[in-house]
Amino acid sequence: MVIKNIYCVGRNYMQHAKELNNAVPTSPFLFAKPTHALVEGQGQTISMPQDQGDVHYEVEFVVHISEKFEPDMKAEELIDKIAIGIDFTLREVQDELKEKGLPWLLAKGFPNSAVLSQWLPFEGLGASANFDFTLEKNGIEVQRGNIKEMIFDIPTIIEFSAKHFGLDEGDIIYTGTPSGVGKAGKGDRFVLKWKEEKVGELLIGD
């Protein structure tokens, strides 16, 4: 499956914005990752930057767009599958970029920074809101989220993305992370879960 564009929503959960002392946005705040950042978590070992400060994990609900957006199209028409992802972030690099008013690409776009679980059937937004997505680090749950807790819901994110950037078949959207982000380091094992079942796994190596 070919992924075209990777859009990511920042600060889309109230408690996450607060834990990083960020202002809560009044409209969707998006950034992008290159496709070279993508990696599917199939239990393998992946590498992270070792010399650019702390790497933080951020678990997210990810949607896959099945066709070109047209005005008045509903989210249920556009989304054909979902995944649980990790947006890995070079936190100190990001803080420096924010201070300078520069784009976040250096902090967000490195190889292996966009992790995906296996793709899962999309059962509709209402059904998806009945379940939490979670991230475990070394056997301990560190993040738990639910799409009903988003500041900007998925239809709003889709409309905003389509209006400002375009949205077409093969695009994916990381829809934001809940609170509980933290450091990821060598030897850490991460397990992604949906409906309390493991759907992805990886180990941080060199």
Side-chain angles (χ1 to χ4, degrees):
M1 181 178 61
V2 177
I3 302 298
K4 290 182 179 177
N5 294 296
I6 307 169
Y7 299 128
C8 306
V9 184
R11 305 174 189 172
N12 201 26
Y13 286 77
M14 187 75 70
Q15 294 304 315
H16 171 59
K18 290 181 177 179
E19 74 179 344
L20 295 184
N21 297 314
N22 290 322
V24 176
T26 56
S27 64
F29 174 70
L30 270 68
F31 59 92
K33 289 177 180 269
T35 53
H36 296 293
L38 278 175
V39 60
E40 186 173 341
Q42 299 178 325
Q44 78 274 36
T45 300
I46 66 170
S47 61
M48 289 280 113
Q50 302 293 323
D51 58 353
Q52 299 183 66
D54 292 339
V55 178
H56 279 198
Y57 54 80
E58 302 183 9
V59 71
E60 311 207 8
F61 185 90
V62 182
V63 299
H64 179 272
I65 303 301
S66 64
E67 60 182 297
K68 184 177 180 179
F69 177 89
E70 299 291 347
D72 300 322
M73 290 186 75
K74 306 298 184 184
E76 274 81 359
E77 298 176 74
L78 288 163
I79 301 169
D80 63 344
K81 49 196 161 193
I82 65 168
I84 310 304
I86 304 175
D87 164 19
F88 279 118
T89 304
L90 287 165
R91 189 66 70 201
E92 293 166 38
V93 174
Q94 184 190 34
D95 289 343
E96 292 176 5
L97 293 170
K98 284 162 46 177
E99 287 180 8
K100 297 175 181 178
L102 296 173
W104 294 0
L105 186 58
L106 287 174
K108 293 282 193 175
F110 55 91
N112 299 328
S113 64
V115 175
L116 289 173
S117 72
Q118 66 191 74
W119 288 106
L120 305 163
F122 175 57
E123 300 171 343
L125 295 177
S128 297
N130 291 327
F131 302 98
D132 293 345
F133 57 94
T134 62
L135 180 67
E136 293 180 359
K137 174 185 174 184
N138 301 326
I140 299 172
E141 183 180 302
V142 289
Q143 285 190 276
R144 177 176 288 267
N146 189 296
I147 64 170
K148 64 188 176 188
E149 299 166 352
M150 292 177 176
I151 298 171
F152 304 104
D153 62 18
I154 289 174
T156 299
I157 292 166
I158 284 176
E159 290 179 9
F160 185 91
S161 302
K163 176 181 177 180
H164 292 280
F165 311 113
L167 205 55
D168 205 341
E169 179 183 359
D171 292 342
I172 65 173
I173 305 174
Y174 283 65
T175 58
T177 191
S179 61
V181 304
K183 295 180 183 179
K186 184 178 179 180
D188 286 337
R189 182 172 295 279
F190 291 94
V191 173
L192 297 150
K193 288 188 173 181
W194 173 244
K195 299 183 180 180
E196 309 299 334
E197 299 291 333
K198 182 172 74 173
V199 292
E201 183 177 6
L202 57 87
L203 176 70
I204 306 297
D206 294 330

